[in-house]
Amino acid sequence: MGIKIVFSDIDATFLTNHHEVTERTEHMVKSLLGKGIPFVLVSARMPEAIYPITKEIGVNIPIISYGGAMALTEKEEVLCSQTLPKDSCTRVLRLLEERWQDAVVNYYAGRHWYVREITPPVQREMDITSARAEVRAFEEMLQENVLPNKLLVMAERELCEEIEQELRKAFPELSIVRSYFTLLEVMDRSVSKAAGIEVMLRHFGLKAEEAIAFGDNYNDMEMLQYVGCGVAMGNALPEVKELADEITLTNEEDGIYVCLKEKGIIA
């Protein structure tokens, strides 16, 4: 069965380590679209942190955001938007505030990113993604029933691992996964990149066996296992490489372009 749709993680997969799109990567996207093959970016990022990338290369494509909690068409129509349960979200925020004051918590709801204050890690994230955080009390958001698609916890590596372990024990109803050593994503249990891809495949009337996906990190593992061909980047974590069907070159070596060219999917 031939490849009819391509999914790709963004950071350290689609982008270089300097958060740039190379000429060959841009050529790859436009070649796919020219052949009628959808290309979908799949990321833990919010939509406003993905669209600057698509705008830069001049394409309108579907995206899967918040690690699978939100999927949008190329016209920015919402296909799905899964939020955290209110009770669980309230308890997670309370526990984080009581036990881990050094962690920075981010509250992502729809097309908005809320923080308690603009700390250095938040500013760094804004500089990298071009998205803008808004200062707002999380308690107010909950009172207004503006529930988050995800909470993002920023912490030093060891602390991040500790928080991950403790939250997983305390909240089995939630999906808790690191997207980087120092970044912890908290979402509804139903959320994963694989679940977001399932929604997108239904939208296009395609099957998982007809899809190829590229990734490098913990939160890409389910996605790579779900599609017909899961490809780990050369810079991927060992655990990701272990379960992937194939391994391509690194994000610095245009791994996606090279893989698709070798398969004859692009010229």
Side-chain angles (χ1 to χ4, degrees), residues 36 74 77 123 218 238 240 247 261:
E74 66 277 7
E77 299 161 333
Q123 184 61 57
Y218 297 114
V240 179
I247 300 172
K261 189 174 176 64

Side-chain angles (χ1 to χ4, degrees), residues 37-246:
I37 299 174
F39 179 78
V40 185
L41 287 172
V42 188
S43 178
R45 291 183 179 212
M46 69 183 299
E48 270 58 34
I50 299 176
Y51 286 131
I53 300 168
T54 59
K55 184 178 180 181
E56 178 189 339
I57 59 178
V59 296
N60 293 317
I61 59 173
I63 65 168
I64 296 171
S65 183
Y66 298 133
M70 179 176 276
L72 299 99
T73 70
E74 66 277 7
K75 295 179 180 178
E76 300 187 26
E77 299 161 333
V78 178
L79 296 175
C80 71
S81 180
Q82 178 64 55
T83 58
L84 275 79
K86 186 173 183 178
D87 177 64
S88 300
C89 182
T90 303
R91 290 187 292 119
V92 168
L93 290 171
R94 186 182 304 127
L95 186 59
L96 286 167
E97 193 167 10
E98 289 173 357
R99 290 192 54 184
W100 298 291
Q101 289 86 4
D102 290 339
V104 176
V105 183
N106 302 262
Y107 191 111
Y108 290 92
R111 305 287 290 267
H112 295 272
W113 169 19
Y114 301 105
V115 294
R116 291 191 175 100
E117 59 180 317
I118 305 295
T119 59
V122 170
Q123 184 61 57
R124 186 163 57 249
E125 187 75 4
M126 288 197 292
D127 293 341
I128 290 171
T129 65
S130 299
R132 311 308 299 172
E134 305 170 43
V135 176
R136 189 87 190 271
F138 299 159
E139 294 73 21
E140 290 180 9
M141 308 300 296
L142 290 168
Q143 286 172 6
E144 295 171 11
N145 284 318
V146 179
L147 300 176
N149 294 96
K150 79 164 185 179
L151 299 175
L152 171 66
V153 182
M154 300 169 168
E156 293 299 323
R157 183 169 180 164
E158 288 187 5
L159 181 59
C160 200
E161 289 177 0
E162 176 190 325
I163 296 171
E164 178 186 23
Q165 291 170 6
E166 293 300 316
L167 290 186
R168 280 188 170 183
K169 288 179 194 171
F171 298 95
E173 73 275 20
L174 300 180
S175 170
I176 297 164
V177 61
R178 272 179 293 159
S179 54
Y180 190 63
F181 300 118
T182 56
L183 301 175
L184 184 65
E185 317 277 340
V186 180
M187 300 162 292
D188 183 76
R189 186 71 184 173
S190 64
V191 172
S192 70
K193 288 188 176 183
I197 285 177
E198 186 179 5
V199 169
M200 195 60 71
L201 288 172
R202 279 202 305 270
H203 170 66
F204 283 106
L206 297 172
K207 300 175 183 177
E209 307 91 81
E210 299 172 304
I212 187 171
F214 297 85
D216 73 292
N217 219 312
Y218 297 114
N219 64 339
D220 296 318
M221 294 169 77
E222 287 187 25
M223 167 178 80
L224 298 187
Q225 289 180 301
Y226 177 71
V227 297
C229 183
V231 183
M233 304 302 290
N235 52 287
L237 296 171
E239 301 96 314
V240 179
K241 290 180 177 178
E242 213 169 281
L243 62 81
D245 298 305
E246 298 178 18

Side-chain angles (χ1 to χ4, degrees), residues 12-32:
T13 298
F14 184 78
L15 299 180
T16 68
N17 295 338
H18 296 289
H19 312 290
E20 295 171 344
V21 180
T22 68
E23 284 185 19
R24 292 205 295 180
T25 297
E26 180 176 336
H27 168 76
M28 174 269 297
V29 174
K30 291 178 177 176
S31 293
L32 289 171

